[in-house]
Every structure is written in C-alpha cells, then in structure tokens.
C-alpha cells in the first residue's frame, strides 16, 4: 500500500513520481530503515540524479501517515545521495552517511527522530560514494565502525579520536574473487562469533567476509562459473585465434591461447573495439567516450579523441569496410558524422 500521502511539506515536490516521500523525477528513494525500538518510526533517504542537490532524509513517527524532513540533512548541503542505517550496537539511533557539496564525506546521527543531529565523522577520504553507488552500513559490533560501498568496499574504524580509512575489497582487474566488476550495490551484515559477517552484492556477483571485513578473508559465493561481467563488444583477429573483449568497467580483456589477460589495465571503461582486417596489430578500442588506437594488437595504445565532445558511456565506432585507414563514429551530443584517417591522425 502507498503509505506516503502527498501533503504538507512534501507537496512542494509534487510530480507524477511523487508517491513516495519527497521523491520526484530527480530524487529517488535510496534507503529505508524501520526503527529498531519502535516499528511505527520509519526513515527514508533519497538520492538525486544527475548530480542534483537536495538529497535528504524523511521521518515518519506514525507508520507513514505523515512525514517530516530531517534537518540539517537537507537542501543544498547534500550532494548526490544519503544512505541510512540503524545498528543493534546503538538502539534507537539513526546514522546517515552522505557527501556534501564541498566534496566532504560525513556521518551524522540522531536519537530523537531528527530534532537534533550530531556530526561524528567528516573526511575527504574518497570512498566513491554517490548517486551511482550509495550503500552504507554500521558495524553490528560497535557504534564507531562502519562500511561504505562505492567502487570497492571501504571500512572506516575509529582509533582514539581519529579514523582509520581503508578499502577492504580490491578494484584490481586480476584479483580474485572480485575481479569482474567492483561497483558495490548492497551490503548485508549479520553477527557471526562476535564479528561482522558481510555479504556484498556488486556488479560482479556476491562475495562474503566473516571476519569484520578484513581484506584477506573474502570468499566468492557466486557458485561455479557465476562471476559476472557485462560485455558490450568482442572483436576477432584474422590471422590468429585471439579475442579482444570489452566488458563494461572492467578493462580491455584479450584471450590468447587458453587464458584471458587484461590487455590494457589503464583503460577501465572499455565498451567497443575494432580490429583492422588487414593488420592484426592495428586495433581501436574505447575508454568511456574516448577512442584509442593501438599498433600492438591491443596491448598498448594512444588516445585519438572524442569527436563531438561527448563524455558518456558506450561510444561505438566502425572501421570502413573498403578502406581500413578510415574509422567512422557519431556522437549523441552532435548531429555530425565523423571520419578518422589513421595515416594522418586527423578527424
């Protein structure tokens, strides 16, 4: 049932999408928590896209009949997203993690439904948290440690009056068991033998850690053969059995013989490739919207441009089928068709 009538302060955000507290076409439901002492108290937080200010937290003390916006977790102080959590180590307290518009990551808490909020953590440590990946969980064991899911997973621990901040999963393309995609989408925590047991869902599958998130103790629980990558393109060669593959966010991969290797570890976001049908060493591949040219079969390359000024994901391009000196591409932000001449390095 819809438990969020549009009335009072929420009506200012009315739109066809505003059937959830304070959410319109640019502000989306990001997180929901039910108070662990009183299930009539519900909190929701929002995220905003594309990089709009105004992500915030709402609270209902009557099972969703009416809602109030929590301040100072509101307005232009918040950038991109807010994630919230409650922990058994601190009953009745809501924790909210967010990035402000000065690119400072903050953790606030309230024990009175937002009447007062206290900031307990403020840092420029780059967790990668934002609209794209915005998950956060407090430790079940204490009220000072927490986990943030951005690209890798980060654990932040209070040591004395300061904090220790470390990535506890890897974004390395070859480091098992999380070597196919790193964007963290969900964190679930339960207690096992007095320690945090984490189950993480990411774009590469599911991993688990039963030892407070220590970096050396992650297990792949995908099952057999369920590591996940989203491949946009594969290209073959004329004179060998190699395969050049372009998975989203996961480096250019090349298969030579029986195994796969990372061909271009510096190019994280590869979505398209073309192999010259007259020369297996001549390869084009993308990095976001930029096009790169290689004369080493894809093992190294140089950027040749992003015609049309587009900066997005998934640019496609095509080698001319009668003259491999020409490469054709377009841009969603430009009505023109572009042709690149390899011999002159000109568009």
């Amino acid at each position: 049932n819809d438990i969020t009538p549009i009335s009072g302060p929420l009506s200012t955000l009315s739109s066809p999408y505003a059937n959830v507290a304070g959410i319109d076409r640019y502000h989306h439901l990001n997180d929901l928590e039910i108070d662990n002492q009183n299930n009539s108290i519900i909190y929701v937080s929002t995220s905003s896209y594309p990089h709009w200010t105004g992500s915030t937290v709402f609270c209902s003390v009557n099972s969703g009949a009416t809602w109030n916006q929590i301040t100072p977790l509101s307005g232009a102080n918040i950038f991109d997203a807010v994630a919230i959590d409650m922990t058994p180590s601190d009953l009745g307290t809501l924790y909210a993690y967010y990035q402000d518009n000065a690119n400072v990551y903050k953790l606030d808490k309230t024990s009175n439904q937002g009447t007062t909020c206290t900031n307990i953590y403020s840092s420029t440590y780059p967790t990668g948290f934002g609209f794209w990946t915005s998950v956060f969980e407090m430790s079940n064991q204490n009220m000072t440690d927490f986990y943030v899911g951005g690209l890798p997973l980060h654990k932040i621990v209070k040591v004395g009056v300061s904090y220790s901040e470390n990535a506890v999963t890897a974004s390395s393309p070859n480091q098992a068991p999380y070597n196919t995609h790193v964007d963290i989408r969900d964190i679930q925590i339960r207690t096992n033998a007095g320690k945090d047991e984490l189950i993480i869902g990411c774009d590469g599958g599911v991993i688990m850690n039963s030892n407070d998130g220590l970096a050396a103790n992650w297990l792949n629980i995908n099952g057999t053969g369920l590591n996940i990558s989203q491949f946009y393109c594969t290209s073959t060669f004329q004179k060998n059995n190699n395969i050049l593959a372009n998975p989203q966010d996961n480096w250019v991969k090349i298969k030579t013989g029986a195994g796969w290797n990372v061909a271009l570890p510096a190019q994280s976001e590869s979505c398209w490739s073309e192999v010259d049908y007259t020369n297996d060493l001549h390869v084009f591949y993308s990095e976001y919207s930029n096009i790169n040219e290689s004369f080493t079969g894809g093992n190294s390359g140089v950027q040749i441009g992003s015609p049309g000024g587009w900066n997005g994901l998934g640019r496609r391009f095509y080698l001319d089928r009668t003259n491999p000196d020409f490469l054709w591409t377009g841009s969603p932000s430009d009505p023109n068709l572009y042709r690149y001449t390899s011999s002159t390095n000109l568009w």
Side-chain angles (χ1 to χ4, degrees):
N1 294 326
D2 183 358
I3 61 170
T4 56
I6 303 303
S7 61
L10 303 184
S11 61
T12 59
L13 291 174
S14 61
S15 79
Y17 303 89
N19 62 339
V20 180
I23 296 173
D24 61 17
R25 65 180 298 180
Y26 298 119
H27 297 84
H28 310 276
L29 176 66
N30 188 58
D31 209 348
L32 183 148
E33 290 290 329
I34 297 174
D35 191 285
N36 50 19
Q37 287 188 313
N38 182 348
N39 61 13
S40 295
I41 301 174
I42 305 172
Y43 299 93
V44 295
S45 68
T46 63
S47 60
S48 53
Y49 181 79
H51 305 302
W52 292 69
T53 58
S55 294
T56 189
V57 179
F58 294 91
C59 176
S60 172
V61 296
N62 49 19
S63 300
T66 58
W67 294 87
N68 293 306
Q69 187 174 359
I70 291 178
T71 56
L73 293 173
S74 61
N77 292 328
I78 308 299
F79 182 74
D80 267 1
V82 186
I84 55 178
D85 189 35
M86 304 193 83
T87 171
S89 65
D90 191 13
L91 296 175
T93 300
L94 180 81
Y95 290 82
Y97 182 87
Y98 60 94
Q99 179 191 32
D100 70 12
N101 57 0
N103 293 321
V104 177
Y105 296 96
K106 295 181 177 181
L107 180 64
D108 290 5
K109 71 175 183 177
T110 177
S111 299
N112 52 17
Q113 296 78 58
T115 302
T116 57
C117 295
T118 303
N119 177 255
I120 58 174
Y121 171 81
S122 181
S123 175
T124 57
Y125 174 70
T127 61
F129 179 93
F131 172 83
W132 186 248
T133 52
S134 51
V135 291
F136 147 82
E137 290 286 323
M138 294 296 298
S139 167
N140 277 5
Q141 309 311 309
N142 59 70
M143 61 184 75
T144 60
D145 300 353
F146 58 98
Y147 304 88
V148 178
L151 300 178
L153 179 74
H154 302 264
K155 184 176 183 181
I156 299 172
V157 178
K158 192 169 186 179
V159 181
V161 296
S162 60
Y163 284 87
S164 170
E165 304 156 322
N166 294 286
V168 292
T169 63
S171 57
S172 167
N174 284 322
Q175 186 167 350
Y178 24 82
N179 62 347
T180 56
H181 204 297
V182 292
D183 289 350
I184 307 298
R185 300 302 180 187
D186 195 22
I187 308 170
Q188 296 294 321
I189 298 182
R190 59 192 180 190
T191 299
N192 184 348
K195 296 185 176 182
D196 287 333
E197 182 170 77
L198 294 90
I199 299 175
I200 307 299
C202 67
D203 282 4
V206 184
I207 57 176
M208 184 176 76
N209 187 306
S210 299
N211 193 19
D212 288 335
L214 292 180
N217 296 114
W218 289 96
L219 298 174
N220 183 340
I221 58 173
N222 284 320
T224 302
L226 197 59
N227 284 332
I228 299 167
S229 278
Q230 176 185 4
F231 285 90
Y232 283 177
C233 175
T234 59
S235 297
T236 57
F237 296 77
Q238 295 295 315
K239 296 181 180 180
N240 59 53
N241 292 324
N242 295 351
I243 300 174
L244 195 67
N246 305 87
Q248 186 252 335
D249 256 4
N250 277 283
W251 297 267
V252 179
K253 301 288 196 346
I254 187 167
K255 185 177 186 297
T256 56
W260 286 92
N261 295 301
V262 177
L264 297 156
Q267 318 303 328
S268 63
E269 183 67 75
S270 171
C271 293
W272 205 253
S273 59
E274 285 274 328
V275 178
D276 187 336
Y277 47 86
T278 65
N279 180 2
D280 281 347
L281 295 177
H282 189 205
V283 172
F284 295 92
Y285 61 92
S286 65
E287 180 191 10
Y288 285 94
S289 60
N290 294 306
I291 302 175
N292 297 264
E293 186 174 18
S294 168
F295 291 95
T296 61
N299 289 293
S300 61
V302 295
Q303 191 176 112
I304 60 173
S306 178
W310 182 53
N311 184 25
L313 175 65
R315 177 191 286 276
R316 298 187 178 188
F317 44 85
Y318 300 93
L319 200 64
D320 191 282
R321 295 309 184 225
T322 60
N323 185 347
D325 199 33
F326 295 152
L327 187 78
W328 299 87
T329 192
S331 166
S333 59
D334 190 322
N336 294 302
L337 178 66
Y338 290 88
R339 188 181 74 181
Y340 173 73
T341 303
S342 179
S343 58
T344 62
N345 300 113
L346 296 174
W347 288 98

